[in-house]
């Protein structure tokens, strides 16, 4: 299903040891696993035939490596505002471990001590959306799960906390776009593996 309007392709980075084990990976640079590298390499085929007016990547090594293995490394512009959520004191810790000491905790509602809250991530997502709407053409973005979930929520005009409703697998492809005109942002495809 193609569109007459610009589309934004979102790619979550390939698998890392921490993404596989459920550890929150914000600013720690964890390399892709062998499986993550292989899946990222298959993105070449999955994105074949598409033309992008711009390619943007998070500064994380995992997103940049995914971008390179997908065949877009030489075209990528690194944007700091595409960085994953800063988990602060919860960096490297699983949700199960956090809940043991903080029952009822929910990332999108409660944020992270010494890190970011949904509003902080939402402000970065809003800056990205502003730049997207100023750039003509289809754009390819490589980033991480929680940031991309907030970006999708903000694209639709939902509060940043709305990202809780969107799940993303590693090396998934999602597409943001428009329906009838540029005033109707939609999610055209989500979490395609």
């Amino acid at each position: 299903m193609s569109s007459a309007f610009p589309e934004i392709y979102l790619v979550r980075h390939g698998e890392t040891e921490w993404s596989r084990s459920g550890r929150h990976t914000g600013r720690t640079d964890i390399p892709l696993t062998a499986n993550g590298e292989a899946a990222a390499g298959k993105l070449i085929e999955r994105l074949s035939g598409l033309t992008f007016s711009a390619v943007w990547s998070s500064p994380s090594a995992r997103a940049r490596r995914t971008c390179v293995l997908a065949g877009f490394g030489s075209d990528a512009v690194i944007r700091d505002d595409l960085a994953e959520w800063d988990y602060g004191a919860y960096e490297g810790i699983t949700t199960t471990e956090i809940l043991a000491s903080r029952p009822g905790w929910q990332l999108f509602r409660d944020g992270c001590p010494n890190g970011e809250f949904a509003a902080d991530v939402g402000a970065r997502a809003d800056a990205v959306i502003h730049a997207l709407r100023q750039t003509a053409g289809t754009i390819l973005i490589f980033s991480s799960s929680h940031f991309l979930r907030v970006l999708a929520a903000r694209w639709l005009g939902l509060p940043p906390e709305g990202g809780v409703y969107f799940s993303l697998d590693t090396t998934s492809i999602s597409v943001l776009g428009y329906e009838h005109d540029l005033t109707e942002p939609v999610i055209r495809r989500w979490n395609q593996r």
Side-chain angles (χ1 to χ4, degrees):
M1 187 163 81
S2 63
S3 172
F5 301 109
E7 293 182 320
I8 295 85
Y9 280 70
L10 309 177
V11 178
R12 182 182 175 198
H13 64 76
E15 177 191 83
T16 68
E17 288 293 335
W18 282 17
S19 68
R20 183 172 57 206
S21 64
R23 295 169 72 180
H24 286 88
T25 317
R27 305 304 163 89
T28 304
D29 253 334
I30 304 294
L32 300 181
T33 62
N35 288 338
E37 295 244 342
K42 291 178 184 172
L43 288 165
I44 290 174
E45 188 176 308
R46 294 172 61 204
L47 295 167
S48 174
L50 298 170
T51 302
F52 299 100
S53 59
V55 178
W56 298 347
S57 177
S58 159
S60 75
R62 60 194 179 274
R64 288 179 313 175
R65 180 69 177 151
T66 301
C67 179
V68 166
L69 292 171
F72 295 95
S74 62
D75 300 323
V77 172
I78 306 305
R79 292 185 56 111
D80 291 340
D81 49 9
L82 293 172
E84 177 60 304
W85 197 306
D86 182 349
Y87 300 116
Y90 294 158
E91 182 77 8
I93 301 173
T94 67
T95 297
T96 301
E97 292 169 327
I98 296 166
L99 291 171
S101 63
R102 190 173 171 189
W105 174 81
Q106 205 279 328
L107 174 65
F108 288 89
R109 183 190 63 224
D110 302 322
C112 300
N114 303 317
E116 288 183 306
F117 292 83
D120 302 316
V121 182
R124 290 193 289 114
D126 287 347
V128 170
I129 290 168
H130 178 75
L132 288 169
R133 293 195 169 132
Q134 303 303 309
T135 305
T138 298
I139 299 172
L140 177 61
I141 294 177
F142 293 85
S143 190
S144 298
S145 178
H146 286 135
F147 176 79
L148 292 174
R149 291 167 66 176
V150 171
L151 181 67
R154 296 301 300 138
W155 179 260
L156 297 175
L158 301 172
E161 294 83 359
V164 72
Y165 299 112
F166 303 101
S167 181
L168 279 177
D169 296 320
T170 54
T171 59
S172 62
I173 299 173
S174 300
V175 183
L176 307 178
Y178 301 92
E179 184 142 28
H180 299 108
D181 60 43
L182 297 178
T183 67
E184 294 184 20
V186 296
I187 294 177
R188 298 190 60 79
R189 291 179 285 292
W190 191 257
N191 199 37
Q192 294 188 322
R193 296 267 335 218

